[in-house]
Amino acid sequence: VEETPAYRDLGLMADCSRGAVLNRDGFCKLVVNLARMGYTVLQLYIEDVYELPEYPYFGWGRGRYTAEDMRWMDDFADSFGIELIPAIQTLAHLRQIFRWRVFRDVHDLDDILLAGEEKTYELIDAMFRQFSSCMRSRRINIGMDEAHLVGLGKYLDQNGYRDRMQIMLDHFSRVHELANKHGLHPMMWSDMFFRLACGGEYYAGKVDLSLEVADRIPKELTLVYWDYYSLETDRYDEMLSSHKLLTDNIAFAGGVWTWTGFCPNSFYSRRIAPAAWQSCSKNGIDTIIITAWGDDGTETSLFSALPGLQQWAELSYGKGSNEDMLEKRFATCVGASYSAFLELG
């Protein structure tokens, strides 16, 4: 059997930051399932659940990965042809570290780092140094999503009000420079560029972003457009067209719904995937990331999302997905019943 995948990269992002850090056994099971399905990438979303030798309180008591853990996981994933990529945060979503007074100098407001502060960039430099020494991949997801209050806390007190798009761009430039210093090639979520230009709205459809924003985005940066909700192909088409005004280097992130309580919403995951797949195929998007978030404490098992992951694999490797093929492939790849897994929802 010979199949030509629709995408260069098909990856899963596993959320390990909401109280459920994958242990080695769970990691191994996940990698084997992904390899059988035909995935090529696994991103570990780890806000503060990794070790930074220079910052002993970073991830303290949070089940953080040591350097040895990360090297071991990287070796295991590589043996199955899976590229392990760290997905971290370099602006917002770092609420847990601000419990400790040692991080007060780099705290702007809410869960956001203080842009423009040299101690902030020392911390980020330590992050990149750690991953450049622990993982084969030179790719890294630097986050920067949902920083809704950037520049409105300590930054405002110290500098007065400043255009928040400029704060975002200046901060990104520093972070990108540090990543390159360690030989890393960043990707980042795209939403803040749109939110700051559209009064907080991300899915605004056709957006005329300023040429200055496009000029500040390096060609090698990958912008990740995320959408876990839309049922209409037109919405994806509009958003991808707006992204192409900024860069040609675009990835798409869809979702398998693991973040709505104790049960997966596999039926909604199944509904949104075909529309997103059609648009990505039509628009030449060849890097796909399927996210499995764990909002509010990871009440839903990551492994309950396996049907949605199988569906995306079939979309990638075929011309669509039919139920008979999904049943057969799932039985082969997971060793379980596809329909039984759907009943979990």
Side-chain angles (χ1 to χ4, degrees):
V1 176
E2 183 176 302
E3 294 175 315
T4 302
Y7 309 119
R8 181 189 66 199
D9 280 328
L10 178 63
L12 165 68
M13 173 180 286
D15 187 348
C16 297
S17 293
R18 270 44 176 259
V21 185
L22 275 170
N23 61 25
R24 290 192 181 190
D25 183 51
F27 178 83
C28 292
K29 289 178 181 177
L30 183 62
V31 165
V32 170
N33 282 323
L34 293 176
R36 285 173 174 165
M37 290 178 182
Y39 280 71
T40 58
V41 167
L42 172 57
Q43 291 193 21
L44 292 180
Y45 179 72
I46 42 179
E47 293 171 352
D48 69 321
V49 291
Y50 56 93
E51 180 183 58
L52 287 180
E54 304 94 329
Y55 297 88
Y57 277 91
F58 190 89
W60 177 265
R62 292 263 288 144
R64 62 189 175 188
Y65 291 125
T66 65
E68 179 190 358
D69 290 330
M70 289 191 285
R71 292 190 183 100
W72 187 91
M73 292 189 296
D74 191 49
D75 286 342
F76 187 85
D78 182 69
S79 72
F80 283 87
I82 300 284
E83 180 184 2
L84 190 64
I85 298 176
I88 65 172
Q89 289 291 355
T90 57
L91 183 55
H93 286 295
L94 287 169
R95 186 182 309 279
Q96 298 296 335
I97 72 170
F98 297 128
R99 294 180 298 172
W100 308 110
R101 288 173 60 85
V102 292
F103 293 108
R104 61 185 174 183
D105 290 342
V106 298
H107 188 196
D108 182 8
L109 181 66
D110 196 33
D111 62 353
I112 301 172
L113 287 171
L114 180 57
E117 167 58 52
E118 286 307 311
K119 291 181 180 179
T120 296
Y121 302 110
E122 290 172 9
L123 173 62
I124 294 170
D125 187 56
M127 296 175 182
F128 291 147
R129 181 163 53 249
Q130 181 77 332
F131 290 110
S132 67
S133 67
C134 293
M135 292 188 180
R136 289 173 174 79
S137 179
R138 297 296 89 188
R139 294 196 283 179
I140 188 168
N141 189 328
I142 60 173
M144 291 202 187
D145 59 309
E146 298 182 321
H148 303 295
L149 301 176
V150 64
L152 297 179
K154 189 182 295 182
Y155 187 96
L156 182 65
D157 294 339
Q158 293 179 350
N159 303 282
Y161 183 80
R162 184 164 176 251
D163 182 85
R164 297 167 70 229
M165 181 71 85
Q166 292 303 317
I167 297 173
M168 176 80 184
L169 288 169
D170 289 348
H171 179 72
F172 162 71
S173 294
R174 290 292 303 274
V175 173
H176 183 259
E177 180 184 320
L178 290 170
N180 286 345
K181 169 186 165 184
H182 293 281
L184 298 173
H185 307 295
M187 63 185 75
M188 66 175 284
W189 308 111
S190 66
D191 58 294
M192 286 307 297
F193 293 123
F194 288 81
R195 293 183 195 278
L196 292 173
C198 303
E201 177 60 45
Y202 184 24
Y203 305 105
K206 294 181 179 179
V207 179
D208 187 17
L209 293 163
S210 71
L211 291 176
E212 182 188 1
V213 175
D215 289 342
R216 297 279 299 270
I217 296 177
K219 290 183 179 180
E220 68 273 15
L221 175 78
T222 299
L223 269 189
V224 183
Y225 157 46
W226 54 271
D227 192 334
Y228 322 133
Y229 315 102
S230 300
L231 295 168
E232 300 82 21
T233 303
D234 289 349
R235 164 63 64 81
Y236 297 102
D237 289 342
E238 285 185 347
M239 288 297 293
L240 288 171
S241 295
S242 295
H243 279 70
K244 287 179 180 180
L245 298 175
L246 297 176
T247 181
D248 293 324
N249 200 4
I250 303 166
F252 173 75
V256 281
W257 278 62
T258 55
W259 56 85
T260 54
F262 291 98
C263 301
N265 193 342
S266 298
F267 296 95
Y268 196 70
S269 301
R270 278 158 53 89
R271 286 192 65 196
I272 59 176
W277 167 73
Q278 289 176 19
S279 182
C280 288
S281 300
K282 182 168 63 176
N283 286 280
I285 306 302
D286 63 2
T287 299
I288 303 295
I289 305 162
I290 308 305
T291 62
W293 297 110
D295 300 28
D296 305 317
T298 313
E299 295 164 327
T300 301
S301 166
L302 171 63
F303 291 91
S304 70
L306 288 172
L309 299 178
Q310 187 74 62
Q311 180 186 19
W312 270 99
E314 296 312 300
L315 288 169
S316 176
Y317 282 90
K319 299 183 184 300
S321 58
N322 64 68
E323 294 303 302
D324 289 341
M325 183 59 75
L326 278 171
E327 286 277 2
K328 292 176 182 176
R329 297 275 191 142
F330 196 77
T332 299
C333 296
V334 181
S337 164
Y338 183 77
S339 57
F341 258 70
L342 288 182
E343 288 300 316
L344 292 171

